[in-house]
Amino acid sequence: MDHILIKGGYVVDPITNTSDYLDILIEKGKIKKIGKDIKPFAGCQVIDAKDCIVSPSFTDIHVHFRDPGQTYKEDIRTGSMAAVAGGYTTVVCMPNTLPALDDASLIRYVIEKGEEVGLCRVLPAGAITKGRRGKELTEMSLLKDAGAVYFTDDGAPVMDSHIMRKAMEFAGSIGSFVADHCEDLSLSKDGVAHEGEIAAALGLPPLPPEAEDTMIARDCVLSLHTGMPVHICHLSTKVGVEIVTWAKAMGAKVTAEVTPHHLYLTDEEWLDFDCKAKVSPPLREHEDIEAVRWALASGIIDFVATDHAPHAHQEKMMEHHACPPGMIGLQFALPIVLELVRKDYFDINRAIEVLSTKPAEKIGLKPPQIKEGEVAELTIFDPTESWEVTEDVIYSKSKNTPLLGRKLIGKVKYTFYNGKIVYKD
Ligand code: NCD
Ligand code: ZN
Ligand code: ZN
Ligand code: ZN
């Protein structure tokens, strides 16, 4: 179909500063016309977007697609399917694969596989250290030339502060940045659940929030002194928010992301002893959740990243020490962010900013825009439709989420990538 008319939707685009009921005519993948009351014509496919919001599509700079090496958990095809079902058209895959993405050929492999699948833009992050062992820096410029959009050892912190400092300086000097999984392993030890009343009551090995907070502080200080950027992965604590607030006020080039699960779930998820609640960093307490929500509203936390971390059913059934941490997230980010709009933490414009505009800008992409002349890259969603999270509606190969059986509000109806419909509800 050469012509698609999206009719009657409420268009929200933070970049073009649009919040209005507008029709969008797409011709051969490009936005030809935006206006009130565009009339359908012969040979034109009409999408009824009444009661829907039409926004630029989303970018997630933190996903685990497990390819190469653990494709029984997820692969680039199933991961891409989950992404577009969640309204995303750009994702950044973490390098904690087997082997780790520490070599230019592996970076190219992920990009090529993503292009082969063709549902969305699949970009890799390169490892900071060889084998993610924390000892020796990778050849970051080669990885960057091959297409790595930033550097991280995610899944593990960079424990050695000297190496982290060198990594920050080097990544910054080539126009890139490092992102850290902030966890002081000497404090987290064999902790499983957030150290608090719940872990104590259930007798679960406690993981103190200081494990995250001290590492955020170290990274902020290193960034301040080197003048180089650092990105804080999956920020989850109220003290972490305060540290980032301080670092930003000092002028450090610090950015931070928060996951949907840290915005929505508490350590009470452990009450049925189900290891689906196990994630790194651990689910926190109410006051942490309040803190990260308000930080996302104020801009102290820059945007949302899902940390979509698929694991097989048998793995999540293991006892709490052996069970790998992580939960899937690509299809839940939008409804969770919309919940915060309904609860008045921020408005719909900020919601689209934290899902779409800000994360795209962070990795140096021109964010998708709803503007005449642009290639159609947009998400159409019904902000009030309620749906139940069941295994059947999850596109990911793994179904590991504590949200199973629960209702969420807000459903993606269509996702357009590169001018084409790549998802339809
Ligand atoms: C991630 C994974 O499974 O790769 N797990 C998690 O709990 N978040 C690793 C990570 O993001 O640290
Ligand atoms: Zn035409
Ligand atoms: Zn991590
Ligand atoms: Zn991760």
Side-chain angles (χ1 to χ4, degrees):
M1 194 86 64
D2 270 358
H3 295 92
I4 301 174
L5 177 59
I6 304 169
K7 247 198 118 41
Y10 189 77
V11 178
V12 178
D13 182 344
I15 298 210
T16 59
N17 222 341
T18 312
S19 311
D20 199 0
Y21 289 96
L22 292 164
D23 298 340
I24 302 169
L25 177 65
I26 297 164
E27 179 182 70
K28 294 192 172 118
K30 271 200 179 161
I31 300 177
K32 165 102 175 177
K33 194 167 180 229
I34 302 174
K36 296 264 178 199
D37 238 334
I38 303 177
K39 297 274 177 286
F41 49 89
C44 165
Q45 178 189 351
V46 179
I47 292 178
D48 179 9
K50 189 175 161 296
D51 301 326
C52 285
I53 291 176
V54 185
S55 77
S57 55
F58 311 151
T59 291
D60 189 350
I61 77 158
H62 189 152
V63 302
H64 298 268
F65 281 1
R66 310 299 190 202
D67 192 359
Q70 291 178 310
T71 51
Y72 65 95
K73 298 180 195 241
E74 191 78 289
D75 60 41
I76 290 175
R77 174 173 300 276
T78 55
S80 296
M81 283 161 57
V84 296
Y88 288 93
T89 58
T90 300
V91 293
V92 179
C93 293
M94 293 297 100
N96 65 334
T97 47
L98 294 173
L101 305 182
D102 61 0
D103 180 274
S105 63
L106 290 160
I107 296 293
R108 282 192 294 268
Y109 167 82
V110 172
I111 294 173
E112 281 161 20
K113 204 82 181 270
E115 285 173 354
E116 231 174 87
V117 171
L119 286 172
C120 61
R121 202 172 283 108
V122 180
L123 305 170
I128 293 175
T129 64
K130 291 185 182 163
R132 298 175 47 254
R133 284 184 294 271
K135 300 285 180 226
E136 219 185 317
L137 292 185
T138 54
E139 295 190 83
M140 288 189 203
S141 25
L142 294 181
L143 300 187
K144 181 168 187 270
D145 290 345
V149 291
Y150 67 90
F151 298 93
T152 181
D153 275 358
D154 183 48
V158 176
M159 280 297 289
D160 186 309
S161 305
H162 174 69
I163 294 202
M164 191 49 162
R165 182 181 153 195
K166 278 204 305 194
M168 238 177 242
E169 282 173 338
F170 197 78
S173 77
I174 59 171
S176 189
F177 64 93
V178 292
D180 201 10
H181 166 114
C182 292
E183 175 182 359
D184 183 330
L185 300 173
S186 62
L187 282 167
S188 58
K189 280 208 163 61
D190 58 355
V192 165
H194 170 74
E195 185 172 74
E197 280 171 32
I198 302 269
L202 300 181
L204 290 166
L207 202 163
E210 304 86 286
E212 179 171 349
D213 299 336
T214 53
M215 212 52 150
I216 293 175
R218 181 203 72 174
D219 287 347
C220 286
V221 169
L222 288 177
S223 170
L224 190 62
H225 282 281
T226 59
M228 293 300 185
V230 69
H231 179 68
I232 309 298
C233 296
H234 41 52
L235 193 159
S236 72
T237 65
K238 62 172 197 288
V239 175
V241 166
E242 294 303 321
I243 296 166
V244 170
T245 305
W246 167 83
K248 285 189 170 187
M250 293 287 284
K253 291 179 189 152
V254 176
T255 50
E257 66 187 30
V258 62
T259 69
H261 45 275
H262 290 114
L263 286 167
Y264 194 61
L265 301 172
T266 67
D267 56 353
E268 285 166 28
E269 294 302 319
W270 277 106
L271 288 171
D272 56 3
F273 286 99
D274 190 335
C275 288
K276 284 204 265 307
K278 185 173 173 182
V279 65
S280 176
L283 297 175
R284 306 285 184 190
E285 301 174 28
H286 285 285
E287 46 182 25
D288 295 297
I289 292 190
E290 274 299 295
V292 293
R293 287 176 170 186
W294 287 116
L296 185 62
S298 73
I300 289 298
I301 293 180
D302 297 81
F303 50 80
V304 170
T306 66
D307 193 12
H308 177 83
H311 293 291
H313 181 71
Q314 316 83 268
E315 295 170 320
K316 291 306 277 187
M317 291 301 285
M318 295 195 280
E319 59 86 29
H320 58 251
H321 276 118
C323 164
M327 48 184 74
I328 56 170
L330 280 164
Q331 289 179 256
F332 316 130
L334 172 69
I336 288 173
V337 168
L338 290 176
E339 173 84 10
L340 302 184
V341 174
R342 279 191 301 275
K343 289 192 164 143
D344 271 335
Y345 286 90
F346 44 78
D347 62 13
I348 187 68
N349 193 66
R350 176 70 181 156
I352 301 307
E353 224 175 62
V354 300
L355 291 167
S356 171
T357 316
K358 295 292 177 190
E361 282 170 350
K362 177 67 202 173
I363 54 170
L365 294 181
K366 181 183 166 202
Q369 291 175 45
I370 299 188
K371 194 168 149 192
E372 289 174 6
E374 294 286 319
V375 172
E377 201 142 316
L378 50 88
T379 303
I380 305 175
F381 59 93
D382 184 336
T384 59
E385 185 175 331
S386 162
W387 56 287
E388 189 181 335
V389 181
T390 61
E391 297 209 356
D392 293 345
V393 300
I394 293 173
Y395 282 88
S396 181
K397 215 178 260 190
S398 297
K399 318 292 176 189
N400 54 306
T401 169
L403 295 170
L404 278 173
R406 266 182 250 186
K407 288 224 160 112
L408 296 175
I409 300 172
K411 198 151 201 281
V412 174
K413 297 303 205 178
Y414 289 88
T415 305
F416 281 71
Y417 167 60
N418 201 16
K420 292 193 188 69
I421 296 173
V422 286
Y423 175 78
K424 180 178 183 314
D425 181 30

